[in-house]
């Protein structure tokens, strides 16, 4: 550790004790590893690989430019979230922020929404990995049952890594992020060079509507062009995951907020370059748009089958890193709520193994949730999980912005910590407006009704346990452990 890391870790541990918690998690994550946690969750390659076909079909190649709009809007949200992360370095992130700055009941809602979003995210990412990367890589025919089995095997392997060591998770995640950065940059350069020498592809693709040309309601609310925003909205999320592992960061006051903002900016820029390269490299827009894996098809056309398989290997590794980070952050949310006695089976879920210094029962719970979802959900509902996660994350981010605007005057300011200064209010209000826009965009299509109903069902399921707490253990929702004014002035 550097001298700054030592001071930051000691200060963070002291505040953890002031909050009534014994520091049990091991601080092993350095600055790049903290950044890797957020960037791996976002995973540009994974997001684009999984949603580029939707953009081509709904809006045509020109729809990629909405990525810029989404990246700017999500950066505003990240800047506000970084304000919280720089001041409250506790596992549980938004759950802790709301519990300690508003009240425990509001905090419980934040925590439950985050748990549901992350638990769904683990299954969504790993199922996409199975069907879009692993099965094509090994020449397996599309089959939903096989994909579900592979999903569960992957979740189990990820859980073993998460349980074994946070340091190992950080190393694997850093490796996945490093590989993803190299692969995306190399592929972008390779595509530009291939188009220049082969003549296949066209810069005109950047303004083409492709197969969406002449589609009715193209510019309408909920129409094809607006639908193209789903690529950015489904990809540029989860940047707050670094805050959820703040108690394992060496200097959370500096590294966590930098990771939150830096990951969104890096992903936004890198993603745009990759999208432009892919789109220019399309030789036959209609044929590529009809493919289930258009990114792989473009690479096969321009760079050959060997590069396509290389991409699938890299994508599979990126998927694995993203799923593992999601699982780890979800287990930390369960742990954080359980040590406050606000999660089902909290006495078990708050246990930290003294040897590995990881919350093993909380991690196993995520595997169990994955098994239940894979076994119980029909195919149609499984496909809706991506939209459900996007809905929940949009609601959660909007709620965090509202919380910040409500408590910012009472939030303690730390010397040297991340601070927006005089830009605080314009950015916060801009983030609030953007959050409203995101919800409007997500809920506009008629197909979003199913996802909304599933999201409401998830919320109601948590509501049953919330009522149980109100009736039988009301005191846990009325008081906070430790000093209630640690982060206020």
């Amino acid at each position: 550790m550097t001298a700054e890391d030592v001071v930051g870790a000691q200060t963070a541990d002291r505040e953890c004790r002031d909050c009534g918690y014994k520091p049990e998690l091991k601080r092993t994550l350095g600055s790049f590893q903290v950044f890797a946690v957020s960037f791996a969750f976002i995973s540009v390659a994974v997001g684009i690989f999984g949603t580029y076909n939707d953009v081509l079909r709904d809006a045509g190649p020109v729809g990629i430019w909405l990525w810029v709009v989404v990246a700017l809007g999500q950066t505003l949200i990240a800047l506000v979230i970084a304000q919280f992360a720089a001041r409250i370095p506790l596992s549980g992130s938004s759950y802790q922020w709301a519990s300690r700055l508003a009240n425990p009941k509001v905090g419980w809602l934040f925590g439950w929404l985050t748990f549901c979003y992350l638990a769904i995210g683990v299954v969504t990412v790993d199922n996409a990995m199975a069907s879009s990367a692993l099965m094509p890589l090994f020449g397996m025919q599309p089959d939903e049952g096989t994909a579900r089995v592979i999903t569960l095997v992957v979740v189990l392997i990820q859980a073993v890594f998460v349980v074994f060591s946070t340091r190992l998770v950080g190393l694997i995640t850093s490796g996945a992020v490093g590989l993803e950065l190299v692969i995306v940059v190399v592929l972008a350069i390779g595509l530009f060079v291939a188009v220049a020498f082969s003549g296949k592809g066209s810069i005109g693709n950047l303004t083409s509507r492709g197969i969406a040309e002449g589609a009715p309601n193209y510019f309408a609310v909920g129409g094809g062009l607006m639908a193209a925003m789903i690529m950015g909205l489904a990809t540029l999320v989860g940047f707050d995951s670094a805050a959820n592992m703040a108690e394992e960061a060496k200097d959370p006051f500096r590294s966590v907020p930098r990771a939150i903002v830096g990951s969104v900016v890096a992903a936004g820029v890198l993603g745009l370059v990759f999208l432009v390269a892919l789109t220019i490299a399309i030789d036959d827009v209609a044929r590529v748009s009809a493919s289930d894996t258009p990114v792989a098809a473009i690479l096969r056309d321009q760079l050959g089958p060997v590069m396509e398989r290389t991409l699938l290997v890299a994508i599979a590794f990126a998927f694995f890193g993203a799923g593992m980070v999601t699982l780890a952050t979800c287990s930390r949310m369960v742990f954080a709520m359980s040590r406050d006695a606000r999660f089902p089976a909290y006495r078990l879920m708050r246990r930290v193994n003294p040897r590995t210094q990881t919350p093993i029962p909380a991690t196993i719970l995520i595997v169990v949730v994955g098994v239940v979802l894979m076994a119980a959900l029909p195919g149609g509902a499984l496909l809706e999980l991506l939209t459900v996660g996007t809905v929940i994350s949009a609601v959660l981010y909007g709620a965090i912005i509202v919380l910040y605007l409500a408590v910012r005057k009472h939030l303690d300011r730390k010397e040297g910590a991340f601070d927006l200064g005089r830009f605080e209010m314009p950015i916060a209000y801009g983030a609030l407006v953007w959050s409203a826009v995101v919800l409007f965009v997500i809920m506009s299509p008629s197909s979003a009704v199913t996802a909304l109903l599933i999201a409401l069902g998830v919320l109601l399921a948590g509501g049953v346990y919330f009522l149980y707490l109100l009736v039988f253990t009301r005191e846990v929702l009325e008081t906070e452990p430790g000093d209630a004014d640690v982060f206020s002035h």
Side-chain angles (χ1 to χ4, degrees):
M1 283 191 185
T2 65
E4 282 188 346
D5 286 343
V6 172
V7 173
Q10 291 174 345
T11 303
D13 281 345
R14 183 169 60 251
E15 290 194 354
C16 189
R17 292 188 184 92
D18 289 342
C19 290
Y21 306 129
K22 175 186 176 183
E24 296 179 273
L25 304 177
K26 192 173 183 179
R27 294 192 180 277
T28 58
L29 301 178
S31 295
F32 182 76
Q33 290 172 326
V34 174
F35 167 81
V37 166
S38 285
F39 191 88
F41 196 118
I42 295 173
S43 191
V44 172
V46 168
I48 292 175
F49 190 85
T51 57
Y52 190 59
N53 59 331
D54 293 320
V55 174
L56 293 180
R57 292 170 187 172
D58 293 332
V62 72
I64 67 166
W65 295 112
L66 288 171
W67 175 276
V68 178
V69 178
V70 175
L72 292 173
Q74 296 299 88
T75 300
L76 292 177
I77 294 176
L79 286 167
V80 177
I81 289 177
Q83 291 279 88
F84 275 131
R87 292 161 177 80
I88 307 181
L90 296 173
S91 293
S93 55
S94 59
Y95 158 72
Q96 291 285 3
W97 306 338
S99 293
R100 294 186 175 276
L101 298 174
N103 66 68
K105 297 180 182 67
V106 175
W108 185 93
L109 177 61
F110 277 55
W112 181 254
L113 285 174
T114 305
F115 162 71
C116 293
Y117 162 59
L118 294 173
I120 289 172
V122 174
V123 172
T124 302
V125 171
D126 288 343
N127 188 248
M129 173 187 179
S131 58
S132 300
L134 291 180
M135 293 177 69
L137 182 63
F138 293 107
M140 303 170 67
Q141 294 299 312
D143 180 76
E144 185 180 305
T146 302
R148 291 185 185 224
V149 172
I150 294 174
T151 299
L152 293 178
V153 172
V154 171
V155 172
L156 184 60
I157 294 172
Q158 290 167 338
V160 171
F161 283 127
V162 171
V163 162
F164 185 72
S165 167
T166 299
R167 180 175 177 77
L168 182 60
V169 170
L171 291 173
I172 293 175
T173 303
S174 297
V177 168
L179 177 62
E180 183 174 354
L181 289 170
V182 171
I183 287 294
V184 169
V185 171
V186 169
L187 286 178
I189 295 173
L191 288 171
F192 284 129
V193 172
V195 170
F197 278 92
S198 70
K200 296 192 298 183
S202 170
I203 197 170
N205 291 339
L206 296 174
T207 56
S208 169
R209 295 192 201 175
I211 63 173
E213 185 71 45
N217 303 319
Y218 182 81
F219 293 103
V221 172
L225 186 60
M226 182 182 287
M229 290 180 70
I230 191 63
M231 179 167 62
L233 294 177
T235 303
L236 299 175
V237 293
F239 40 82
D240 54 316
S241 55
N244 219 354
M245 301 186 73
E247 288 181 39
E248 290 152 280
K250 294 177 181 178
D251 183 9
F253 300 106
R254 291 179 174 83
S255 63
V256 172
R258 289 173 183 171
I260 290 170
V261 178
S263 61
V264 179
V265 173
V269 173
L270 194 66
L272 179 61
V273 173
F274 190 38
L275 284 170
V276 169
L278 282 173
T279 304
I280 290 176
I282 298 176
D283 184 39
D284 184 335
V285 174
R287 178 176 58 82
V288 170
S289 298
S291 171
D292 290 332
T293 54
V295 176
I298 293 168
L299 293 173
R300 184 169 58 249
D301 290 345
Q302 293 287 0
L303 304 174
V306 174
M307 184 56 72
E308 178 194 6
R309 293 188 66 80
T310 302
L311 169 73
L312 288 174
V313 172
I315 288 291
F317 193 30
F319 265 118
F320 187 85
M324 185 173 63
V325 164
T326 309
L327 193 155
T329 54
C330 188
S331 68
R332 272 46 174 187
M333 178 58 71
V334 172
F335 163 74
M337 295 181 71
S338 295
R339 66 182 174 182
D340 291 338
R342 295 171 188 161
F343 197 87
Y346 66 87
R347 289 186 178 87
L348 175 63
M349 296 301 156
R350 68 187 178 190
R351 292 181 185 173
V352 174
N353 184 277
R355 186 175 66 85
T356 65
Q357 291 184 276
T358 56
I360 294 180
T363 305
I364 294 174
L365 172 67
I366 316 305
V367 179
V368 173
V369 171
V371 172
V372 171
L373 290 176
M374 287 293 96
L377 286 181
L382 187 59
L383 292 174
E384 291 288 342
L385 286 184
L386 176 63
T387 308
V388 173
T390 307
V391 170
I392 295 176
S393 68
V395 171
L396 186 62
Y397 286 155
I400 291 174
I401 306 303
V402 172
L403 174 68
Y404 182 77
L405 289 170
V407 305
R408 66 179 185 82
K409 292 182 179 179
H410 307 291
L411 189 59
D412 191 23
R413 306 280 169 168
K414 286 185 168 58
E415 184 178 351
F418 180 87
D419 198 325
L420 293 176
R422 65 178 182 274
F423 299 106
E424 174 188 25
M425 293 311 296
I427 289 175
Y429 281 119
L432 183 63
V433 171
W434 171 249
S435 297
V437 170
V438 170
L439 280 172
F440 177 75
V441 169
I442 294 173
M443 300 313 304
S444 292
S446 57
S447 58
V449 173
T450 302
L452 178 61
L453 291 175
I454 295 175
L456 289 174
V458 165
L459 187 59
L460 289 174
V464 173
Y465 186 71
F466 183 77
L467 289 175
Y468 167 82
L469 292 177
L470 280 177
V471 173
F472 296 102
T473 56
R474 191 180 187 90
E475 65 278 4
V476 304
L477 292 175
E478 294 181 341
T479 57
E480 280 294 295
D483 182 357
D485 298 320
V486 175
F487 305 110
S488 300
H489 65 75

